[in-house]
Amino acid sequence: MFDNRDRSKAVFSPFASEEVSPPYSPHWEAKRRAAEALRALTATLVTSDATTDRLNALAQRLEQENAALGSQPRLYGLEAFIADGKHGGHGEINHELNALGGWSNPLSPALNMWLKGNEAFGTVRCGYAYEGPPGFIHGGFIAAIFDQFLGMAQLAGDNPGMTGTLTVRYHRPTPLNTDLSLHATLQGSTGRKTVVTGEMLMGDEVTASCEGLFIRPRRALLHTP
């Protein structure tokens, strides 16, 4: 499943196409599998009406697994994984660990994103773990998805930065367990500032829209070579 044949020869971009980039190594392949299992467990747990004894038994096993995994070597944060030298570059590692679009991060709703020219596209599906109003996605998660998606969309320009402001308009409640699409357009850059607008859609209906202002830092935030 993993394929890193050409990644040492060019800067890796996980947003080149709609197809999800394969894992860089067997390590990330295994971590993706574990993350998906944890997402599935979370989805089951939040909807479970199992007995108290059954839930306590599950908690005990999870505590034991966490203690065993915690005794293994650990790397804390993106820079630590890059410095270790065995896990790929910034692009590969962010593609795995990002809180919204990381395929090896069980907190991620598996947001898939890709670029075409100065436009960006994405897909996402949020289950009951992301519920706010009954049957609908929590507005905070919608804002977080936009933050990540519009932040990726600005890569279509030559002036990427960090979020300065994010203005979200909620047109209607966005349902859970529904395939959603996203579309964003780079509006332009002035100095260190870039403006991106985007929409979240259920079919042809816009459920939320957003404008993001991104500001390029004066100094690089990543210190690891």
Side-chain angles (χ1 to χ4, degrees):
M1 293 177 65
F2 57 93
D3 182 359
N4 62 358
R5 289 173 294 180
D6 300 322
R7 298 190 189 180
S8 62
K9 301 177 183 178
V11 176
F12 169 67
S13 172
F15 312 121
S17 74
E18 183 176 356
E19 295 297 320
V20 177
S21 300
Y24 176 81
S25 66
H27 171 91
W28 290 121
E29 184 175 23
K31 190 168 282 190
R32 283 191 190 188
R33 180 182 176 187
E36 181 56 35
L38 286 170
R39 288 190 201 100
L41 177 60
T42 299
T44 301
L45 180 61
V46 298
T47 59
S48 176
D49 192 30
T51 66
T52 302
D53 287 345
R54 184 69 183 82
L55 293 172
N56 279 323
L58 171 64
Q60 183 178 19
R61 289 199 300 276
L62 291 175
E63 289 160 359
Q64 292 169 345
E65 287 296 331
N66 181 61
L69 189 62
S71 68
Q72 299 296 303
R74 300 175 73 177
L75 296 170
Y76 295 92
L78 183 65
E79 289 189 346
F81 273 89
I82 294 174
D84 189 59
K86 301 190 298 289
H87 302 288
H90 180 277
E92 284 97 350
I93 296 168
N94 189 63
H95 190 49
E96 300 294 345
L97 297 182
N98 183 271
L100 276 300
W103 296 96
S104 293
N105 187 333
L107 295 179
S108 164
L111 170 62
N112 187 28
M113 305 173 286
W114 64 97
L115 290 168
K116 288 184 179 180
N118 69 340
E119 295 181 290
F121 301 87
T123 56
V124 71
R125 182 184 180 96
C126 295
Y128 285 104
Y130 302 93
E131 188 172 33
F136 299 101
I137 302 173
H138 192 294
F141 284 117
I142 292 174
I145 289 169
F146 270 131
D147 191 12
Q148 180 65 23
F149 178 61
L150 268 60
M152 184 280 295
Q154 66 173 321
L155 296 178
D158 297 320
N159 198 32
M162 298 182 67
T163 308
T165 61
L166 198 70
T167 304
V168 181
R169 179 184 174 191
Y170 299 93
H171 298 261
R172 56 148 295 172
T174 303
L176 298 168
N177 303 305
T178 301
D179 292 328
L180 303 169
S181 60
L182 297 109
H183 174 249
T185 304
L186 183 71
Q187 298 297 329
S189 296
T190 303
R192 295 189 296 119
K193 299 179 180 180
T194 298
V195 176
V196 186
T197 57
E199 297 177 326
M200 178 177 288
L201 302 98
M202 179 183 62
D204 295 328
E205 183 177 5
V206 176
T207 65
S209 58
C210 185
E211 178 176 286
L213 170 65
F214 297 88
I215 303 173
R216 175 170 47 82
R218 295 184 186 276
R219 294 183 299 176
L221 298 179
L222 195 65
H223 304 297
T224 303

